[in-house]
Amino acid sequence: MKVLVIGAHGQIGRLLVAKLQVSQHEVTAGLRSTSQIEDYQEQGYQTALVDVEKDITHLQAAMKDQQAVVFAVGSGGKTGADKTMMVDLDGAVKAMEAAKKADIERFIIISAIGAQNRSLWSYQQRELSTGNYYYAAKYYADEWLLHSGLAYTIIRPAALTNATPTGKVVLGPQLDLTVDNKVRTITRSDVAQTVVECLNQPRTINQAFDISNGDILIAQALAKLSS
């Protein structure tokens, strides 16, 4: 498939475009500045200028001739609620609307573990330590995608690390946040590989799941998803 990765300069995005570059898919790195584009072109990547804070027409133009979009954008941990809402929420929704206008076949979004469960991040519970506005943004972006009519996959990774990838995971509709009294984690590389495998497996269409490192090979874990 021809795949546009929006947020290709992020930590997961960079790993993902590298994996897609050596796969059977054709990847375009969606980047928000000309300096990033120059850097990626020097590395041999196809690129497109994509700024999710711009209008839908801009996003739709970047999606021309693409078959799949991966939304790997994140406003970053150092920004405030305003940027989170305009990037992680409104930027995601605009990308979905643009994808529909561009007749995109697949839309994959990288969310966050537990985002679908308000009791973990809102009201008086707050078991998830990141600001409630972050999880609210993820929750509503995911909800929009669920009802968008796009062929979606929602990947909700556990706490992200840069450790050596294991290639093995556990996934499900809702995972406990901890295992053996430790917070669940997953390497960014394993998240990127999960995206690649989702593109390879039609079974992952219209699926949403939490995921952390575990003991099942990524492709095998995805193959066990109920159709």
Side-chain angles (χ1 to χ4, degrees):
M1 301 178 75
K2 293 183 178 180
V3 184
L4 173 67
V5 177
I6 305 178
H9 194 63
Q11 293 189 72
I12 292 175
R14 279 178 283 183
L15 294 165
L16 177 56
V17 295
K19 290 176 182 293
L20 288 171
Q21 186 83 332
V22 295
S23 73
Q24 72 270 37
H25 304 291
E26 182 180 325
V27 63
T28 297
L31 302 158
R32 63 184 177 87
S33 72
T34 54
S35 61
Q36 291 174 359
I37 284 177
E38 290 170 0
D39 179 42
Y40 276 61
Q41 287 178 344
E42 288 177 0
Q43 298 177 58
Y45 292 110
Q46 295 184 67
T47 62
L49 185 63
V50 185
D51 185 343
V52 300
E53 293 188 77
K54 292 187 176 180
D55 61 28
I56 292 173
T57 301
H58 164 81
L59 296 173
Q60 184 180 348
M63 295 177 188
K64 184 180 179 180
D65 299 325
Q66 299 294 320
Q67 296 169 301
V69 169
V70 180
F71 193 87
V73 180
S75 57
K78 296 181 180 180
T79 59
D82 55 345
K83 184 67 75 170
T84 298
M85 289 298 170
M86 296 313 295
V87 173
D88 297 73
L89 176 51
D90 190 55
V93 171
K94 285 190 295 187
M96 296 169 208
E97 293 177 338
K100 290 204 72 172
K101 291 179 180 292
D103 295 322
I104 296 296
E105 296 175 18
R106 294 287 309 276
F107 196 103
I108 297 175
I109 192 168
I110 298 173
S111 182
I113 191 171
Q116 78 282 18
N117 188 349
R118 270 202 189 95
S119 67
L120 297 177
W121 52 264
S122 63
Y123 310 115
Q124 301 302 313
Q125 301 299 318
R126 303 187 182 185
E127 292 184 36
L128 293 166
S129 59
T130 306
N132 287 0
Y133 57 81
Y134 172 82
Y135 283 96
K138 294 298 185 185
Y139 173 84
Y140 286 107
D142 294 353
E143 281 293 303
W144 192 281
L145 183 53
L146 286 169
H147 299 94
S148 67
L150 293 165
Y152 66 82
T153 307
I154 300 171
I155 301 170
R156 298 187 296 258
L160 298 166
T161 77
N162 291 320
T164 302
T166 68
K168 295 182 178 182
V169 298
V170 59
L171 57 84
Q174 183 170 314
L175 298 179
D176 292 334
L177 300 181
T178 60
V179 59
D180 297 330
N181 295 318
K182 295 181 180 178
V183 173
R184 286 189 184 274
T185 62
I186 187 168
T187 74
R188 289 180 170 87
S189 183
D190 283 323
V191 174
Q193 188 60 42
T194 298
V195 174
V196 176
E197 292 297 340
C198 284
L199 290 167
N200 294 339
Q201 293 199 34
R203 180 180 291 271
T204 63
I205 293 175
N206 296 342
Q207 298 278 3
F209 51 85
D210 291 350
I211 187 169
S212 76
N213 279 127
D215 56 6
I216 305 174
L217 292 172
I218 293 170
Q220 292 178 6
L222 292 172
K224 293 181 179 181
L225 287 169
S226 59
S227 57

